[in-house]
């Protein structure tokens, strides 16, 4: 991780990540635009959209690091508050209330039993007001025109679902660890349907995303023009620590820069991973700089997929 103090220092860098603690009321696109303005860098991308009302971890890739986003851990972790007894048009409290129902006096054990079917591999329909594309158009745009839309269920993975708190009346707090494409609004909606009283998401905070946690996040205020602080820059290798690595020998560097595949090192399974076809491998120069990404091919070769500083 590098501590930088000026936009000029960022301008000299070609790759890295900053991690924002997104405030409520801003879109993820707003945050990316603020990064571009503050750091004077054009090539910027975010890892994992957050709804405007949600807060928390938003990793932002700079420069060539934008091409590394598909290789990062896809796990995300959220803490959210669910309100039982209401059904809304957006599955959260931002939308129109469509129905109010009485909430039975659930016990904690009953809530735990209701949560059980939502763990693991499940089918989940995205909210009608979402960025999911239907016939090539974002669902929320069709809703704005007054159309009735019903996104089809799709497989998602909920790796962890924990009941943090139940007030005994109508509100509960959940911690959710999930894979890409999971909507916590949909989880709240579906839980309400299962309980027979309806539910909507009141508050959502993302505590982890793509391998970064809240402890690494910077306040959005560091991107304001009058701020005296600058965001920390995280080395790409920090974000790729979950993957096996291959350190290039001096005689392999030119072949790598030309995009040519090369053989796995004999007996180097611990370094290069289990050796399965398609396994991504982080490729590193002898001096510790990131050289790019490769995948293990069917012929037990390392096939370059992303070459940083490729030969022209």
């Amino acid at each position: 991780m590098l501590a930088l103090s000026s936009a000029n220092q960022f301008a000299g860098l070609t790759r890295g990540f900053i991690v924002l603690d997104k405030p409520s009321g801003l879109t993820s696109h707003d945050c990316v635009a603020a990064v571009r303005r503050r750091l004077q860098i054009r090539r910027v991308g975010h890892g994992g959209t957050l709804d405007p009302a949600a807060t928390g971890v938003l990793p932002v890739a700079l420069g060539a690091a934008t091409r590394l986003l598909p290789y990062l851990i896809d796990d995300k972790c959220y803490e959210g508050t669910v309100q039982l007894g209401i059904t809304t048009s957006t599955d959260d409290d931002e939308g129109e209330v469509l129905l109010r129902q009485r909430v039975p006096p659930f016990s904690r054990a009953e809530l735990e039993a209701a949560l059980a079917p939502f763990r693991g591999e499940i089918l989940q329909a995205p909210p009608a007001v979402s960025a999911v594309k239907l016939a090539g158009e974002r669902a929320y745009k069709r809703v704005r025109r007054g159309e009735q839309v019903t996104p089809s269920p799709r497989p998602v993975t909920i790796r962890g679902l924990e009941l943090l708190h139940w007030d005994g009346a109508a509100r509960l707090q959940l911690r959710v660890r999930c894979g890409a494409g999971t909507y916590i609004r949909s989880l709240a909606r579906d839980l309400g349907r299962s309980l027979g009283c309806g539910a909507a998401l009141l508050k959502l905070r993302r505590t982890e995303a793509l391998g970064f946690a809240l402890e690494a996040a910077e306040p959005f205020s560091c991107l304001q023009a009058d701020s005296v602080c600058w965001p920390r820059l995280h080395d790409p290798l920090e974000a790729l620590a979950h993957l096996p690595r291959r350190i290039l020998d001096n005689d392999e560097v030119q072949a790598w820069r030309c995009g040519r595949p090369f053989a796995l090192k004999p007996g180097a399974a611990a370094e290069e991973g289990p050796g399965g076809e398609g396994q991504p491998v982080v490729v590193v120069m002898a001096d510790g700089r990131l050289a790019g990404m490769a995948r293990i091919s069917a012929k037990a070769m390392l096939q370059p997929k992303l070459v940083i500083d490729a030969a022209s």
Side-chain angles (χ1 to χ4, degrees):
M1 182 178 69
L2 303 175
L4 303 182
S5 59
S6 73
N8 289 335
Q9 287 175 289
F10 274 102
L13 297 168
T14 58
R15 63 193 73 94
F17 293 89
I18 64 173
V19 186
L20 297 177
D21 185 348
K22 189 191 87 65
S24 179
L26 293 179
T27 66
S28 300
H29 179 75
D30 292 335
C31 292
V32 167
V35 170
R36 287 197 181 103
R37 289 193 301 268
R38 175 68 163 160
L39 305 185
Q40 301 174 24
I41 296 175
R42 288 185 56 84
R43 194 175 177 187
V44 180
H46 67 77
T49 301
L50 273 175
D51 287 340
T55 67
V57 175
L58 181 68
V60 179
L62 310 179
T66 55
R67 299 172 65 190
L68 297 173
L69 288 171
Y71 297 99
L72 302 192
I73 298 171
D74 74 349
D75 263 20
K76 299 177 178 67
C77 190
Y78 299 87
E79 292 186 4
T81 301
V82 177
Q83 173 72 50
L84 301 183
I86 62 171
T87 301
T88 75
S89 59
T90 57
D91 301 325
D92 61 13
D93 67 343
E94 298 286 302
E96 176 189 358
V97 175
L98 304 176
L99 180 65
R100 293 186 184 274
Q101 296 172 268
R102 187 184 72 85
V103 180
F106 295 115
S107 67
R108 188 180 182 97
E110 288 173 318
L111 292 177
E112 292 282 9
L115 290 170
F118 295 101
R119 297 186 178 103
E121 302 281 339
I122 66 171
L123 287 177
Q124 183 188 75
V129 181
S130 68
V132 171
K133 285 190 174 181
L134 302 175
E137 188 176 18
R138 302 291 184 187
Y140 68 82
K141 292 184 177 180
R142 299 179 65 171
V143 172
R144 286 176 182 172
R145 292 201 300 267
E147 296 182 33
Q148 294 288 330
V149 301
T150 307
S152 299
R154 57 186 185 177
V156 299
T157 303
I158 297 184
R159 299 184 174 95
L161 179 55
E162 181 182 357
L163 178 59
L164 297 179
H165 178 70
W166 165 237
D167 69 0
R171 288 190 182 182
L172 55 113
Q173 279 187 293
L174 300 174
R175 179 182 290 128
V176 185
R177 182 173 295 278
C178 57
T182 306
Y183 280 89
I184 311 304
R185 284 186 286 150
S186 293
L187 175 61
R189 175 201 66 209
D190 294 343
L191 176 62
R193 288 176 179 170
S194 175
L195 291 169
C197 61
L201 187 66
L202 283 188
K203 186 183 296 185
L204 184 66
R205 183 159 177 76
R206 189 157 68 189
T207 58
E208 295 178 38
L210 306 186
F212 295 102
L214 270 174
E215 292 76 16
E218 308 284 347
F220 185 77
S221 59
C222 72
L223 298 177
Q224 295 173 352
D226 58 353
S227 175
V228 297
C229 70
W230 291 84
R232 291 170 290 173
L233 183 71
H234 296 263
D235 190 295
L237 290 174
E238 179 183 347
L240 298 167
H242 61 291
L243 293 175
R245 296 188 182 185
R246 168 68 177 268
I247 299 175
L248 293 175
D249 295 333
N250 289 334
D251 58 356
E252 294 174 327
V253 171
Q254 188 57 35
W256 168 261
R257 294 188 66 220
C258 292
R260 294 198 294 268
F262 48 93
L264 298 173
K265 291 182 178 178
E271 178 188 11
E272 294 169 344
E277 182 180 355
Q279 166 69 51
V281 176
V282 182
V283 181
V284 182
M285 295 292 190
D287 62 4
R289 290 180 296 117
L290 177 67
M293 298 297 303
R295 288 190 183 272
I296 297 177
S297 72
K299 297 181 179 179
M301 301 283 284
L302 273 181
Q303 178 66 50
K305 291 297 181 183
L306 165 59
V307 179
I308 296 173
D309 300 327
S312 56

